[in-house]
Amino acid sequence: MIRHELSKAFRSPVLYGLVLFFLTLNMALIVSNDYKKESLSFVSHVVEQYGPKATDDSLLKMEEDGLELIHDYTDRRFSTLEEALQHEDSFIPSMQQDDFERLKQLVLYFETGRQADSFYKELNLQDARSGAIDQYGLSGGAEDVLINQYEKAEERKKELVENAEHLSFFFHGATYEMHSFLFKEIGRALLFEAMVLTVLLTAHVTTYEFERRTSLTLFVTKKGRTMMRDKWVASTVASGIISAFVFAFTLGIYFIFYDYSGLLSSSFSNFFMSEMKMPYISWWNVTFTEYLGLFVLAALALQIVFNWITYALALHLRNGHLTYIAFAVLFGAYLCFSSLLPANTGLIFAGQFSPFIMILNPHAWFTMNNPMTIFSYYEVVTLAAWGLGFILIGAFSYKHFTRQSLL
Amino acid sequence: MLEVHHVTKNYQSFTALKEVDLQFDHGIYGLLAPNGAGKTTLMKMLVTLTFPSDGEITYNHENIVDLGEEYRDILGYLPQDFGYYKSYTAEKYLMYIAALKGLDKTKAKLRIKELLELVGLQDVGRKKLKKFSGGMIQRVGVCQALLNDPKVLILDEPTAGLDPKERARFKRLLSTLARDRIILLSTHIVSDIESIAKEIIMIKDKRVLYKKNQEELRSLLEGKLFEAIIPFEDVEAYHSKFSVLSEKQEKNGIKVRFVSEQKGAWNEVEPSLEDVFLYVYEEETDLSEDRKHD
Ligand SMILES: Nc1ncnc2c1ncn2[C@@H]1O[C@H](COP(=O)(O)OP(=O)(O)OP(=O)(O)O)[C@@H](O)[C@H]1O
Ligand SMILES: [Mg+2]
């Protein structure tokens, strides 16, 4: 009978229209960074030529190659790239365009690579902490929590340097902002799209009989109100399928469009990727691919939580439109509520453990880059707690529904 | 045996039914009452769509809510407002409901064919429901109620929208079905249940006023029902003195049919079920007239 409910889920023309619309939107979003594409691919050559990490050896080779390139255009002989660049007028004007581009890129990755070690040595997380404390006006218990968390962050920073995670080559973050592009722009778009689809679909399935006035006939059959249990399972499966499809399609196109070859096994917490002062640091030593996998898993789990929230709402409201509105109100109300939590106790952090907050900062998932969610287990706890909570609420709502008058 | 024990039903502060006691055994029961009397409310409680505010309903001495699936399994229900999926064919919709009723596919197919024939829809089983007329939809509704060969069949105004021919067919169908099951149907059309109902239930002022067979009901007016042809200007006077059930234009005046406690120089006539219905709910009509005025 779950099959019947599943078929109801996929019988909504609005759903297909929306999926199509979202996919088109995502493609436009992907293509919007087209102009970066050409120079972006240089890092793949770097990995191919010099290995996956900016070790002293590979930096040395890069420097040699750079100098060789320069020496083609000048009679002067430099011993370091740094020296050569101080005299760039002697060769740049005569350089061919593509050699110039190559040199520029090489220097970019070379210099970044060379700075990596000292940058992490000097990186002071205490600055980040006091910045956050000022920015969010934290005090008392909240301050203690952050002090504690930044100590853990400090540990992790030491560990990643020991593992040389920071030396993995990646698209130059300050130049291309590919992390933000993939996980913030596209990632957040994907999450919101999947959320809209999940809420629509779940409300559609759950209120199907009420919206079509067949409830009086169908809830009196032997299957009767237990149909709602099938709907729960069916809408969860359908939300998962639809979300997975939108993710897979969009990410598929993305990775066809942007060449990540050579970077897939780069450590996530590398220095090259950093876009601002604070480089991205994940709580665990994961490669880019592993991070992406974690991200997709968390994104799907998030949809399941949204599905369960919607299910509970729809069971009480028995009306599709009211359910959408209620979901939106709940979302907004939660954001208000969390911003009202007192900033002088740990409570303000507890308020962050919510799917409604989580969906806003996807680019910081599994990292220590958002001070308000700087907990290694933030994503897991949020998903587990709300998931469990809404399993209970869903079960309670179902029980309640079986005793309701259906008029 | 289906029993309603002292059931009261409130909608918020409004009481729709009060202290209703009823027993149903095999046979057809007609629920005859005017609009808003609480027929649908009673039926919705009998099919567990809603629950008594007080009292309980039992089937074979067990509460129907506790029986749950076991009870729904022997239940057939046609709601007053029968909802359907427009893009489904009659067969597909019936197959779906059959699945919800736990019938297996092959059995359901045979049963649906049989039922569609029974209600005269065998030729349109493959047509989409959105192309059906109101009366045809109503007959699909009757089919779905009968799918699981229910022991308890509850039909809320099943004849609404049926033409006289279909009405007659339906009446025949009911009498053949009544042998080994409980059938409760509501209507305000007396002829629908006349001659086939084993008992007729009348609800008035939120309570069960009568639950009697037709003979007993008619005997309520035995010797009190008269007809007379009177001049037009006397009609007003008759209305104020007696309960006038009907009047009819004749060539030499107006023929009035009325109830009087005393005999007079009038023609005594055999009361019909319709007369009883009109007489019982006469005040109610007056009441609603009053309401219109204020
Ligand atoms: N959901 C409800 N909420 C509040 N009052 C209701 C509700 N349903 C019915 N009522 C009231 O209960 C009374 C009985 O309604 P019910 O629908 O049972 O009447 P009925 O006998 O089926 O009438 P009809 O012949 O028009 O179908 C009416 O006064 C109605 O206004
Ligand atoms: Mg009714």
Side-chain angles (χ1 to χ4, degrees):
Chain A
M1 292 316 285
I2 289 172
R3 200 174 46 83
H4 277 117
E5 299 306 324
L6 264 177
S7 78
K8 284 174 196 167
F10 291 111
R11 212 181 288 148
S12 161
V14 178
L15 197 75
Y16 291 109
L18 265 182
V19 167
L20 217 63
F21 172 70
F22 287 152
L23 290 182
T24 318
L25 205 72
N26 295 348
M27 297 228 264
L29 204 59
I30 289 170
V31 176
S32 72
N33 259 3
D34 184 43
Y35 64 95
K36 293 177 180 170
K37 211 175 134 181
E38 193 128 347
S39 54
L40 204 54
S41 60
F42 187 80
V43 69
S44 296
H45 301 302
V46 171
V47 171
E48 203 174 302
Q49 298 252 320
Y50 309 103
K53 289 198 172 175
T55 58
D56 289 344
D57 278 351
S58 39
L59 287 173
L60 202 66
K61 275 201 214 108
M62 286 171 85
E63 186 162 34
E64 280 167 10
D65 289 355
L67 286 171
E68 198 175 304
L69 201 61
I70 291 170
H71 292 160
D72 285 347
Y73 291 96
T74 174
D75 294 333
R76 297 185 60 165
R77 286 298 172 260
F78 305 108
S79 53
T80 64
L81 267 178
E82 199 180 342
E83 185 196 349
L85 290 174
Q86 276 163 10
H87 305 282
E88 56 182 19
D89 294 344
S90 63
F91 53 90
I92 284 183
S94 58
M95 275 186 106
Q96 275 175 13
Q97 184 63 30
D98 57 336
D99 278 345
F100 172 67
E101 280 300 326
R102 256 180 64 204
L103 181 65
K104 216 173 75 181
Q105 290 284 330
L106 198 68
V107 168
L108 183 66
Y109 287 98
F110 169 74
E111 295 213 311
T112 310
R114 222 175 39 165
Q115 290 159 12
D117 268 327
S118 55
F119 183 90
Y120 282 82
K121 213 164 277 160
E122 284 160 26
L123 177 63
N124 190 354
L125 291 180
Q126 305 317 313
D127 291 347
R129 189 193 73 201
S130 38
I133 287 173
D134 287 347
Q135 188 186 343
Y136 299 101
L138 306 178
S139 61
E143 207 175 332
D144 296 341
V145 170
L146 266 200
I147 290 171
N148 201 356
Q149 286 312 113
Y150 272 101
E151 260 163 34
K152 288 181 191 155
E154 195 68 51
E155 288 295 306
R156 169 65 186 135
K157 190 194 87 180
K158 281 194 193 115
E159 177 196 294
L160 83 87
V161 172
E162 268 165 39
N163 297 340
E165 292 171 46
H166 61 315
L167 298 183
S168 279
F169 284 115
F170 203 75
F171 299 118
H172 196 259
T175 313
Y176 302 113
E177 303 191 326
M178 288 304 271
H179 176 78
S180 294
F181 181 52
L182 176 56
F183 293 102
K184 192 176 177 179
E185 281 186 50
I186 296 175
R188 202 193 272 163
L190 275 175
L191 287 171
F192 272 90
E193 289 163 1
M195 180 182 80
V196 167
L197 292 172
T198 295
V199 172
L200 278 181
L201 181 151
T202 307
H204 172 79
V205 172
T206 314
T207 62
Y208 198 83
E209 287 72 24
F210 296 105
E211 291 286 346
R212 286 158 190 75
R213 307 210 38 78
T214 54
S215 49
L216 296 185
T217 309
L218 303 187
F219 288 124
V220 167
T221 58
K222 185 177 180 196
K223 170 112 259 183
R225 301 183 194 208
T226 60
M227 207 193 293
M228 280 297 176
R229 282 201 301 232
D230 298 346
K231 286 180 187 296
W232 195 354
V233 177
S235 66
T236 304
V237 172
S239 307
I241 291 176
I242 284 269
S243 305
F245 172 75
V246 174
F247 289 162
F249 189 92
T250 306
L251 293 177
I253 299 277
Y254 178 88
F255 284 108
I256 289 169
F257 203 77
Y258 295 104
D259 183 11
Y260 273 65
S261 59
L263 305 180
L264 293 176
S265 47
S266 284
S267 294
F268 175 83
S269 309
N270 66 74
F271 181 52
F272 293 90
M273 204 169 86
S274 55
E275 296 167 5
M276 289 177 297
K277 222 167 72 209
M278 172 82 180
Y280 288 103
I281 300 177
S282 60
W283 285 104
W284 303 278
N285 179 5
V286 289
T287 65
F288 171 77
T289 312
E290 286 165 345
Y291 181 84
L292 182 70
L294 278 178
F295 181 88
V296 171
L297 280 184
L300 286 178
L302 195 60
Q303 301 312 324
I304 302 303
V305 174
F306 288 141
N307 161 245
W308 294 349
I309 294 174
T310 313
Y311 173 76
L313 289 174
L315 262 187
H316 289 282
L317 297 169
R318 294 183 234 148
N319 174 300
H321 293 283
L322 284 182
T323 305
Y324 311 148
I325 294 169
F327 187 89
V329 167
L330 187 67
F331 197 140
Y334 189 86
L335 293 188
C336 289
F337 159 78
S338 67
S339 71
L340 291 176
L341 287 172
N344 58 1
T345 70
L347 227 53
I348 188 164
F349 291 105
Q352 300 286 308
F353 285 77
S354 152
F356 300 124
I357 304 270
M358 193 174 152
I359 194 175
L360 299 178
N361 296 303
H363 55 295
W365 287 2
F366 306 112
T367 73
M368 52 181 70
N369 289 71
N370 180 352
M372 294 308 284
T373 61
I374 183 170
F375 304 91
S376 54
Y377 48 83
Y378 170 72
E379 292 75 20
V380 177
V381 169
T382 302
L383 293 169
W386 281 67
L388 206 69
F390 272 90
I391 283 190
L392 292 179
I393 293 176
F396 167 79
S397 305
Y398 169 74
K399 259 261 132 14
H400 179 74
F401 173 77
T402 59
R403 303 197 192 102
Q404 282 299 294
S405 291
L406 307 179
L407 299 167
Chain B
M1 179 116 120
L2 183 62
E3 291 172 295
V4 178
H5 304 278
H6 230 59
V7 162
T8 296
K9 177 67 187 175
N10 305 318
Y11 291 114
Q12 281 97 41
S13 60
F14 174 79
T15 304
L17 288 171
K18 201 158 184 187
E19 292 160 7
V20 172
D21 285 292
L22 290 168
Q23 289 88 35
F24 304 100
D25 222 327
H26 301 319
I28 301 175
Y29 296 82
L31 195 50
L32 193 59
N35 291 136
K39 302 184 292 295
T40 300
T41 301
L42 176 62
M43 291 185 146
K44 279 183 173 170
M45 286 192 288
L46 287 171
V47 300
T48 66
L49 276 173
T50 186
F51 312 99
S53 310
D54 199 20
E56 68 167 349
I57 301 173
T58 58
Y59 182 70
N60 293 342
H61 310 294
E62 271 199 76
N63 190 309
I64 57 171
V65 179
D66 299 337
L67 282 171
E69 183 177 296
E70 204 183 317
Y71 177 65
R72 292 196 304 273
D73 195 22
I74 53 114
L75 190 65
Y77 173 55
L78 172 66
Q80 183 167 5
D81 169 16
F82 173 62
Y84 56 94
Y85 300 130
K86 291 191 185 68
S87 61
Y88 275 39
T89 64
E91 269 175 20
K92 188 174 171 195
Y93 191 39
L94 290 171
M95 276 307 281
Y96 174 54
I97 296 176
L100 292 177
K101 291 191 173 198
L103 270 69
D104 75 57
K105 256 193 165 140
T106 36
K107 244 199 204 146
K109 271 198 180 121
L110 289 174
R111 181 84 181 135
I112 288 168
K113 189 167 177 295
E114 185 186 346
L115 285 172
L116 284 175
E117 252 163 58
L118 218 53
V119 299
L121 290 178
Q122 63 275 26
D123 298 330
V124 291
R126 298 252 156 88
K127 241 172 118 168
K128 290 205 167 161
L129 290 172
K130 65 178 158 214
K131 294 184 182 156
F132 277 40
S133 72
M136 286 158 85
I137 290 289
Q138 195 70 359
R139 280 139 71 194
V140 174
V142 172
C143 283
Q144 67 73 28
L146 292 172
L147 273 171
N148 55 331
D149 196 14
K151 288 255 161 285
V152 177
L153 182 60
I154 296 191
L155 307 165
D156 202 348
E157 297 188 22
T159 56
L162 296 189
D163 63 36
K165 185 174 131 253
E166 286 307 327
R167 234 168 245 262
R169 188 213 291 264
F170 180 70
K171 221 166 143 176
R172 278 200 306 280
L173 172 62
L174 281 188
S175 6
T176 60
L177 288 171
R179 263 190 289 281
D180 51 353
R181 72 188 89 219
I182 297 168
I183 301 181
L184 175 65
L185 74 153
S186 72
T187 183
H188 6 73
I189 298 160
V190 177
S191 64
D192 280 350
I193 43 176
E194 204 156 30
S195 78
I196 60 164
K198 171 167 143 187
E199 284 191 315
I200 287 173
I201 299 156
M202 290 190 174
I203 301 175
K204 193 174 176 182
D205 296 336
K206 312 175 196 319
R207 294 169 191 271
V208 173
L209 182 65
Y210 297 119
K211 177 174 181 281
K212 293 183 185 305
N213 66 38
Q214 306 194 25
E215 214 35 60
E216 292 170 315
L217 272 178
R218 273 198 293 268
S219 71
L220 289 171
L221 286 184
E222 199 67 65
K224 299 179 186 169
L225 189 68
F226 304 95
E227 267 183 4
I229 296 176
I230 54 171
F232 182 78
E233 49 284 12
D234 289 0
V235 170
E236 200 71 354
Y238 270 74
H239 267 281
S240 55
K241 260 202 283 184
F242 311 110
S243 303
V244 178
L245 302 182
S246 70
E247 37 192 87
K248 200 165 124 203
Q249 197 83 39
E250 298 267 304
K251 49 183 178 295
N252 47 352
I254 293 196
K255 189 195 228 174
V256 284
R257 196 174 168 92
F258 61 97
V259 180
S260 166
E261 294 298 329
Q262 279 112 39
K263 292 198 192 276
W266 313 297
N267 239 357
E268 191 178 320
V269 286
E270 265 307 291
S272 70
L273 202 51
E274 177 107 28
D275 293 319
V276 178
F277 181 78
L278 288 174
Y279 181 64
V280 166
Y281 295 111
E282 198 198 16
E283 285 159 56
E284 195 118 300
T285 17
D286 285 345
L287 251 167
S288 57
E289 289 293 319
D290 282 350
R291 270 200 218 117
K292 261 185 229 156
H293 289 301
D294 57 40

